[in-house]
Amino acid sequence: MSVSTVAGQGDGTLADQAYRSISDRLVTLQIRPGEPVNDERIAAELGFGRTPVREALKRLEHERLIVAYPRRGTFATEVQIADLGHISEVRKQLEPLAAGLAAERAGEGERAGLDRLLAQLADASDGDTDLIRLDMTVHRAIYAAARNPYLEDTLIRYDNLATRIWCLFLDRLPGLAGHVHEHRHLLRAIIDGDAEKAAALATGHVEGFEAAIRSVI
């Protein structure tokens, strides 16, 4: 199964491309919590100049994925379990809002895209290395279909933070595919235009995510 880059669609500016690449590494823990983030090394790896990478790092610092200390350097933020409750408080309010709006506002092309994601979900299994990226892709498609750019930007930030926690405990969480497959019912409700059902399913998904993490900590 092939899943498109989760951090955004299209190329955008070099700073946008750098942001998406570094964000993906941070969220999926290719850059581990507490690990140094060196702009020169990342620029060389990505084939970019240091200026777009530095612009990307400023954005990532605002999104709490990295932290910069004077005279010490820049590091991936540590994952604090207390963050789970704070993140869930926000997502319990905004994920249902986005799902309901998506059901009401999604256009024909967006619903067709969600239908294609349904087909990808049907083929997903626990052995699939793209499961986490598929989960993120589904979330981003729903946020975009809500047609509120401020809500979309906010939810991407919080989904990144939540996914980072998920990746940290991934080896202790059974049934990853089952968690991802929950999105099938949510996508179907959105495609069918059932805003109330979509909002309820989104609430249950966030609550289930939090409960799963708390069960292994």
Side-chain angles (χ1 to χ4, degrees), residues 8 24-25 28 44 60 77 83 90 148 163 167 178-180 193 195 207 209:
D24 184 66
R25 295 183 187 192
T28 60
L60 292 163
T77 53
D83 292 343
V90 177
N148 181 324
T163 303
C167 290
H179 176 82
V180 177
E207 291 174 344
F209 168 81

Side-chain angles (χ1 to χ4, degrees), residues 68-88:
Y69 298 104
R71 296 180 296 278
R72 284 185 54 198
T74 301
F75 301 84
T77 53
E78 297 286 355
V79 175
Q80 305 294 336
I81 199 56
D83 292 343
L84 176 63
H86 298 148
I87 293 166
S88 294

Side-chain angles (χ1 to χ4, degrees), residues 133-152:
R133 287 180 173 82
L134 176 57
D135 179 82
M136 295 170 70
T137 299
V138 169
H139 277 275
R140 278 146 184 71
I142 293 171
Y143 305 156
R147 298 193 175 188
N148 181 324
Y150 299 100
L151 178 63
E152 181 180 3

